[in-house]
């Protein structure tokens, strides 16, 4: 009689799994919900939700996610459905493809990028750019 599937979908997208700062994980992670990494992961991450790499977080492999927020470091190919946001302390070393990219002033991306269009035109934003 009542359809709870949309409510269950929202609950799945709001749930976040946390890899704590003192934790280390080796292996592949496949999940529906979001992931927050403050520790170290060696293995592929495939996440239908958002992935956040905290300032002390380190990931050494491929990441697939809806959105990716990097304050720590990532070494490997990154494939993001929507936005790749590299904060001022974030470092990504590897190729990246995404619809939108935001790199803050001291954030670093070492690799090639491929931008895809989503419903609206893809764009590049650099925050806090110093003028000469």
């Amino acid at each position: 009689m009542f359809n709870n599937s949309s409510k269950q979908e929202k609950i799945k997208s709001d749930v976040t799994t946390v890899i704590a700062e003192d934790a280390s994980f080796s292996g592949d992670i496949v999940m529906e919900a979001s992931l927050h990494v403050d520790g170290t992961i060696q293995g592929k991450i495939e996440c239908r939700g958002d992935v956040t790499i905290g300032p002390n977080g380190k990931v050494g492999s491929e990441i697939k996610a809806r959105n990716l927020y990097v304050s720590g470091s990532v070494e490997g190919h990154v494939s993001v459905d929507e936005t790749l946001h590299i904060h001022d302390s974030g470092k990504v070393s590897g190729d990246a493809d995404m619809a939108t990219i935001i790199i803050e002033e001291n954030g670093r991306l070492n690799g090639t990028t491929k931008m895809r269009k989503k419903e609206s035109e893809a764009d590049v934003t650099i925050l806090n750019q110093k003028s000469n």
Side-chain angles (χ1 to χ4, degrees), residues 20-74:
E21 188 172 340
D22 59 349
S24 180
F25 181 84
S26 181
D28 295 344
I29 297 174
V30 178
M31 60 189 303
E32 296 289 321
S34 295
L35 174 67
H36 184 100
V37 180
D38 286 324
T40 302
I41 296 179
Q42 287 295 324
K44 180 180 175 181
I45 298 171
E46 189 171 332
C47 182
R48 295 190 86 186
D50 298 340
V51 174
T52 301
I53 311 300
N56 297 313
K58 295 177 184 167
V59 175
S61 190
E62 178 180 349
I63 298 176
K64 287 184 169 189
R66 178 179 55 202
N67 292 295
L68 176 60
Y69 305 95
V70 181
S71 294
S73 65
V74 175

Side-chain angles (χ1 to χ4, degrees), residues 2-126:
F2 293 101
N3 185 349
N4 289 332
S5 65
S6 63
K7 184 176 181 180
Q8 290 172 344
E9 290 293 321
K10 178 158 177 38
I11 290 170
K12 283 183 184 178
S13 68
D14 291 344
V15 174
T16 299
T17 299
V18 177
I19 304 295
E21 188 172 340
D22 59 349
S24 180
F25 181 84
S26 181
D28 295 344
I29 297 174
V30 178
M31 60 189 303
E32 296 289 321
S34 295
L35 174 67
H36 184 100
V37 180
D38 286 324
T40 302
I41 296 179
Q42 287 295 324
K44 180 180 175 181
I45 298 171
E46 189 171 332
C47 182
R48 295 190 86 186
D50 298 340
V51 174
T52 301
I53 311 300
N56 297 313
K58 295 177 184 167
V59 175
S61 190
E62 178 180 349
I63 298 176
K64 287 184 169 189
R66 178 179 55 202
N67 292 295
L68 176 60
Y69 305 95
V70 181
S71 294
S73 65
V74 175
E75 291 186 20
H77 178 78
V78 172
S79 179
V80 181
D81 293 335
E82 295 178 19
T83 302
L84 169 59
H85 188 140
I86 303 173
H87 295 276
D88 63 354
S89 61
K91 298 174 223 145
V92 176
S93 297
D95 297 339
D97 63 87
M98 75 299 293
T100 303
I101 185 168
I102 300 170
I103 304 175
E104 293 183 8
E105 184 176 356
N106 293 314
R108 289 185 275 174
L109 173 62
N110 297 312
T112 62
T113 60
K114 179 180 177 185
M115 295 186 72
R116 326 178 215 92
K117 289 184 180 181
K118 57 181 191 177
E119 291 180 23
S120 62
E121 182 90 27
D123 61 278
V124 175
T125 305
I126 300 175

